[in-house]
Amino acid sequence: MVEILIPVGPKDKAEWIRRSISSALSQGHVTVIDNSDREDLAKIIDEMGVDHVKIPRMKKINMAHLRNVMVSYTKERFVIMLDSDVVLPKEGALKMEEKLKNEGYSLTWMHYAYSEDELNKPLSPGEENPNLGCAGIDILALKKVGMFDEKYERDEDVWIYSKFKKEKFKVGPTEGRCLHLNKTHARLTLLDSLIEAKRNFWRSKYDMMLVLDGLTNVTFLSGYSYFGSYYIIGILSIFFYPILLAYIPLIWLGIKYYGGIKRYFYNLIPGLALAASFPYGLGYSLIKRAIYKRA
């Protein structure tokens, strides 16, 4: 059976951990890397009969570093990574393992569903949003690219996807979806939208690091073009107000893409935050790059 690695952090909910581990138990050998320093969560993990590895609590969570630590506890070549707020579907591990072993993929993943109704939703044309919360990875290929680059901290999934593609390793999604229990990322409410907007104010620094490292992916930068257009049109309208009419097709495109006015609005807020953070992200990445070069 394939090995399934599950990281647990200090803010995880007990219910999520139970469901995540339960979904993995029948599909592989489960190892939980416990970074929570919480006795209640430790008790649950021990009760579920999985390998329980406690590591020193990180003051600041660096997911790239945490995943490097996780990998150090396995001797298997092919492993499944499953986040503690994600439920693995039936035969999900087997499907991803087959992609790795039989089809030569170095990275494969299942896209997220945020409700039971979405679990059987087929992949949309061009849908390719890599994640490491429900993914299979070839550890040998990972070692060949030098493990996860820890300066990417919380964007380690996009980094490994882009790095593998640049180095000509095979990457791509597996059919099916994993149930994501944390619905914040789905942006279904105004509060979720505002939380995502707050995250997006610092997310641009990772995107700009990808650009400077030659790992740019057009798909991941399209949001800057679309949401940045809102600012450009607004600024140009100061000098030529009829250009405001350009908002009509721009908004129509957004409503069509997100499938409705409400979903469009809840995605517009974090999108505008992402575009606004572009100068910060570029400046941060340039400074970070200079620091790493000196080191």
Side-chain angles (χ1 to χ4, degrees), residues 10 29 43 60 121 182 215 241:
H29 179 85
K43 183 178 179 181
K60 179 184 177 183
K121 179 183 176 182
N182 185 350
L215 300 174
Y241 71 88

Side-chain angles (χ1 to χ4, degrees), residues 123-273:
L123 295 181
S124 304
E127 184 178 4
E128 190 155 307
N129 302 310
N131 70 77
L132 289 172
C134 185
I137 190 165
D138 180 348
I139 301 303
L140 181 60
L142 178 63
K143 290 179 178 178
K144 286 182 179 179
V145 299
M147 303 295 288
F148 292 103
D149 188 336
E150 296 184 7
K151 77 172 184 283
Y152 279 88
E153 299 178 349
R154 289 182 174 273
D155 220 24
E156 81 289 0
D157 46 6
V158 176
W159 177 83
I160 192 61
Y161 168 87
S162 302
K163 185 69 173 180
F164 274 163
K165 287 197 75 171
K166 183 178 181 180
E167 300 296 331
K168 307 302 181 184
F169 289 99
K170 198 172 182 180
V171 298
T174 293
E175 285 293 327
R177 295 182 185 273
C178 292
L179 180 61
H180 205 305
L181 301 174
N182 185 350
K183 294 178 171 46
T184 302
H185 302 302
R187 304 169 183 176
L188 301 177
T189 68
L190 178 59
L191 178 60
D192 291 345
S193 179
L194 293 173
I195 292 173
E196 284 291 284
K198 183 179 179 181
R199 288 197 184 103
N200 278 356
F201 275 123
W202 53 257
R203 189 175 183 87
S204 62
K205 65 185 180 183
Y206 301 123
D207 292 332
M208 294 305 105
M209 283 195 290
L210 287 170
V211 171
L212 295 179
D213 285 347
L215 300 174
T216 311
N217 187 290
V218 176
T219 302
F220 303 134
L221 295 180
S222 59
Y224 290 94
S225 300
Y226 176 76
F227 293 109
S229 298
Y230 284 82
Y231 293 106
I232 293 172
I233 292 172
I235 293 171
L236 293 178
S237 70
I238 298 174
F239 307 99
F240 184 64
Y241 71 88
I243 204 171
L244 288 172
L245 292 173
Y247 276 124
I248 296 174
L250 194 65
I251 293 172
W252 175 84
L253 180 63
I255 293 173
K256 184 178 180 181
Y257 179 82
Y258 289 110
I261 295 175
K262 182 182 285 187
R263 290 295 302 274
Y264 158 74
F265 177 71
Y266 289 157
N267 281 276
L268 176 64
I269 297 172
L272 291 175

